[in-house]
Every structure is written in C-alpha cells, then in structure tokens.
Amino acid sequence: VVLSSNAKVAAAICNGSLDETSPNTDASYELIHFDLENSTLKQVNTHSNTSGYSKPGQLAINHDGSRVYFISNSDLDASQDNSDGSAEVFLYDTHGEGSVTQLSNFNYGNYVESVSTDYDGKRFVVTSRGNPLGLNSRYRDRIFSGSYSLGVIEQLTPNSNYYAKGSAISGNGEYLVFSSNESLDDEKNTNGRYQIFRMDFEYGIFQQVTHSGDHDSVSPIISNDASRI
C-alpha cells in the first residue's frame, strides 16, 4: 500500500474483490485506487498476472495521488505488446480519462522492482535486469530513469559485473539513492559489500554514503529535499 503525501489517496495491489462495478472473480492481483476523501475506490485493471506483487517497491504514488506507477506482468496497454508476460512499469494517470500506459520494455522475466517517483509524478526510477536501451548486455540489476510521458529513457548505473538495486528518488526529483556492491566513486568500495550511494541527476556524480565493512547496506529512502537518507 502507498499513500499520497496529502493523505487523500492510497493505492494497493490486491487480489480481493473490492470494486462492486468490476468483480475480481479470478482473484488476480489488480491495482486498486482509493479516494480517501470520498470513501470510494476503483479497480483499475482486470485479469492481470502480477506475479511480483510481494517484491519491494511495486507501487509509487505522487503527492496528490493523480499518478500511480506500478509493476505488472500483464498486457494492459493496447498500444504496447507485453504478451511475453514480462514485468514492466505501468502508469495509472487520473488526468483525462484515467488511462493505463506501459512505460518500459524490459522483456526480462520478473526482474523489475523498486519503482519510485518524485513529488509531481513526472520522473520515476526503477531497478531491472532488462536491457531496453542496449546498455545492459550483462543483464545485471541496473537503475533506470524515465518520465511519465516518455517512459524509460536512461540507464543510470554502468554495465559492469556488479549490481545496483533498491532505487528511490527524492521528492524534488534531483537525486537518486540506491545500493550497489560496485565502486562508483573515489572512496573505493573494495570489500564487495552493498553500500548506499547518492547520485545527482544534473551531473551524474555518485557519492558513497555508507562504508559498511562486514555487512551490507540496502533499501535506502531519501527525503524530499535530498538532505537526509
């Protein structure tokens, strides 16, 4: 479950039959959009196959709940083809008619997680092993970024033998945090442990935040102004 920062909207992936106008008779995992002010809800999609519902970061919501990013294995966008059932990023946008748009073409099984969006819901980040831009030939966990209008547009972490995961974006949309076992800045991560890194979108500079010796540091979150991690 995710809650908008104005506390007026929530969203969840659920296999219950909650919307009387759209009975979930096959108990599939669907996106439910809750209007908390008016005590109403809407089941956004039907007959889905969201097998990764228990993975971290399957949902992200902007400040007023008008944009909800979610990960699904279903073919929900008629303009795209997700017939292979791979996990992809989708956007439910309540602006206009409340459409669902497929924003990624990772085409690599269920290795997609940790979707996060900024305050306005215009930019998002996500972790995947896919190779949508031709820059992840090793098919390791990488961090990707994109926009609500263009979909995935950039791979942010390098095509190395290491991994990067647990992506989260600051509310102002200027910084990214994630964990990686790679050495990404001058403070050399030589022990192979997962450390927390921060990256600014303007310059693409990585800053190692933790220096764990015997254990991994994972699953970071970041404040709206990126001053606290």
Side-chain angles (χ1 to χ4, degrees):
V1 179
V2 290
L3 177 68
S4 62
S5 61
N6 65 7
K8 294 181 178 181
V9 177
I13 294 177
C14 178
N15 67 342
S17 188
L18 304 180
D19 186 345
E20 295 180 354
T21 66
S22 182
N24 189 16
T25 55
D26 60 355
S28 53
Y29 283 86
E30 311 292 353
L31 176 65
I32 309 296
H33 193 260
F34 300 88
D35 182 341
L36 302 179
E37 275 199 305
N38 298 303
S39 298
T40 60
L41 61 85
K42 175 183 179 181
Q43 180 178 308
V44 175
N45 45 324
T46 58
H47 305 299
S48 296
N49 179 30
T50 305
S51 59
Y53 58 87
S54 61
K55 288 187 176 182
Q58 295 294 297
L59 286 168
I61 193 169
N62 72 330
H63 77 101
D64 64 0
S66 60
R67 292 192 175 109
V68 179
Y69 293 83
F70 65 103
I71 297 170
S72 177
N73 304 77
S74 303
D75 198 357
L76 303 176
D77 184 347
S79 67
Q80 300 284 334
D81 180 12
N82 196 33
S83 56
D84 66 349
S86 57
E88 304 294 348
V89 178
F90 292 85
L91 171 66
Y92 173 57
D93 195 335
T94 64
H95 299 96
E97 297 180 357
S99 59
V100 174
T101 305
Q102 183 175 326
L103 297 177
S104 69
N105 287 284
F106 291 120
N107 304 118
Y108 198 74
N110 291 322
Y111 295 99
V112 182
E113 60 186 47
S114 301
V115 65
S116 176
T117 189
D118 62 11
Y119 181 84
D120 292 319
K122 293 182 178 180
R123 172 180 274 175
F124 71 94
V125 294
V126 67
T127 301
S128 175
R129 292 188 186 180
N131 188 22
L133 306 174
L135 300 174
N136 189 21
S137 60
R138 291 182 172 88
Y139 293 95
R140 303 293 177 94
D141 288 320
R142 313 291 183 209
I143 311 299
F144 296 86
S145 70
S147 72
Y148 76 100
S149 58
L150 298 175
V152 172
I153 56 177
E154 187 176 6
Q155 180 177 314
L156 300 174
T157 52
N159 183 29
S160 67
N161 288 320
Y162 297 93
Y163 295 84
K165 58 186 180 180
S167 43
I169 191 173
S170 60
N172 60 17
E174 296 178 5
Y175 289 88
L176 158 76
V177 288
F178 62 96
S179 63
S180 177
N181 60 345
E182 187 168 2
S183 182
L184 294 171
D185 75 358
D186 293 337
E187 297 186 49
K188 303 300 181 185
N189 180 22
T190 57
N191 62 9
R193 293 291 184 182
Y194 279 90
Q195 310 290 351
I196 304 301
F197 292 86
R198 186 178 80 161
M199 190 205 83
D200 67 280
F201 281 99
E202 183 175 1
Y203 299 106
I205 297 174
F206 296 107
Q207 175 191 3
Q208 186 172 322
V209 177
T210 60
H211 300 85
S212 308
D214 298 326
H215 303 281
D216 295 321
S217 297
V218 297
S219 304
I221 57 175
I222 187 168
S223 63
N224 185 64
D225 64 358
S227 64
R228 292 181 174 86
I229 296 170

